[in-house]
Amino acid sequence: MFTGLVQDVGTVTRLQPGGMLDVWIRTALGASGFARGESIAVDGACLTVVETRGDEFRVQASGETLRRTTLGRLAAGSAVNLERAMRLDDRLGGHLVLGHVDAVGEVCSRGSEGDALVLAFSLPPQLSPFFIEKGSVAVDGVSLTVNELHPDRFTVALIPETQQRTTLGKKAPGDRVNLEADLIGKYVARLHGLRQSSGQAPGGLTAEALAAAGFGRRE
C-alpha cells in the first residue's frame, strides 16, 4: 500500500531482458537498507526489490506488468517516481494507492494557471465510472486531485513542489502515463454494478439493509 507521495526520482541505470525484465534503479533513498522482497512503487507500479547494490536496487517486471503499464518503455537514463511501501504508523498525506495500474493514459495538453502546471490526460473508457471531480487519482504514482472531468479526459494542476519533485513537470503531449483510479471509487462502482445486475434498485443505505448486515442490533 502506498500514499502517492513520491519520495525520490530515481534513474534507471540498466535493463536486462529475459524471462522477465530486470530493471536496476539508482536512488537517494538508501537502497542498501532495502529489504529483499519489500514493495516499492516505480512510476506507480508496485514491484518487488530482489537485489541491492550500493545506491542501486533491482526489480523485475513480468509480461503482465509490461502489458498493463509504461514500464516496457523504460531505457537507461529514464527518470522514475519512487515510493516505498507505507508503514501502518505513517501519515496518509495523499490517498490510498495500491500500486496496481488500471490503464495507461496519454498527456493531451499542457498549460499554466499562475504558477500551477495544468495537464490534461486521456481517460480510458473503462476507468470513467471510477472518476469524479475533486476525487483522487494516481498518475505515474503521484497522488493528484481531478480538477475537471470530461467524457474522454481529465485535468489536474501541479503546484511547483510537485513539478520539481516528480517526473510529471516534464511531461509533454503524447507522453504516456500509468493511471490508477481511486480505490474507494472502484469498490463503490463495483457494488453499484452488482446491485443493478441483481435487480436491486440503486440507492443509499437503509435501516433494513444495516439490520440485515448485523448493524444496530441490541443484545
Side-chain angles (χ1 to χ4, degrees):
M1 186 73 73
F2 306 91
T3 68
L5 301 184
V6 171
Q7 297 170 322
D8 183 38
V9 174
T11 302
V12 175
T13 57
R14 58 190 184 278
L15 302 166
Q16 298 172 305
M20 289 190 174
L21 178 65
D22 286 61
V23 185
W24 282 92
I25 301 171
R26 181 182 299 116
T27 178
L29 292 178
S32 60
F34 289 4
R36 183 174 179 178
E38 77 168 78
S39 296
I40 188 165
V42 178
D43 273 353
C46 179
L47 300 177
T48 300
V49 175
V50 296
E51 186 179 354
T52 62
R53 187 179 302 163
D55 60 354
E56 298 183 11
F57 67 97
R58 177 168 63 94
V59 293
Q60 294 179 313
S62 67
E64 172 70 3
T65 300
L66 298 177
R67 286 189 294 271
R68 297 287 292 266
T69 73
T70 62
L71 298 187
R73 294 170 173 258
L74 293 177
S78 294
V80 289
N81 295 321
L82 300 176
E83 182 189 355
R84 298 180 72 181
M86 67 180 294
R87 297 166 55 95
L88 288 179
D89 60 352
D90 280 347
R91 291 186 177 89
L92 183 57
H95 72 283
L96 293 175
V97 176
L98 293 177
H100 300 164
V101 174
D102 293 309
V104 172
E106 186 175 295
V107 180
C108 300
S109 64
R110 174 188 172 104
S112 60
E113 186 173 317
D115 290 334
L117 171 63
V118 179
L119 295 176
F121 299 98
S122 63
L123 178 58
Q126 69 270 27
L127 294 192
S128 183
F130 312 136
F131 277 63
I132 60 171
E133 285 194 357
K134 307 310 175 187
S136 297
V137 61
V139 179
D140 273 355
V142 183
S143 175
L144 297 169
T145 299
V146 176
N147 277 4
E148 295 181 1
L149 180 62
H150 304 276
D152 61 347
R153 69 189 189 283
F154 67 95
T155 68
V156 299
L158 309 183
I159 63 173
E161 177 74 3
T162 305
Q163 297 174 43
Q164 296 163 10
R165 294 181 65 89
T166 75
T167 61
L168 296 185
K170 297 182 179 179
K171 294 296 181 183
D175 287 345
R176 294 164 66 83
V177 293
N178 295 320
L179 301 177
E180 181 183 333
D182 180 52
L183 173 65
I184 297 174
K186 287 190 279 190
Y187 277 105
V188 170
R190 171 66 172 164
L191 178 60
H192 180 73
L194 288 174
R195 287 174 62 85
Q196 287 189 320
S197 63
S198 65
Q200 298 181 52
L205 289 175
T206 64
E208 291 77 13
L210 288 172
F215 293 96
R217 292 178 179 170
R218 297 181 182 275
E219 300 297 336

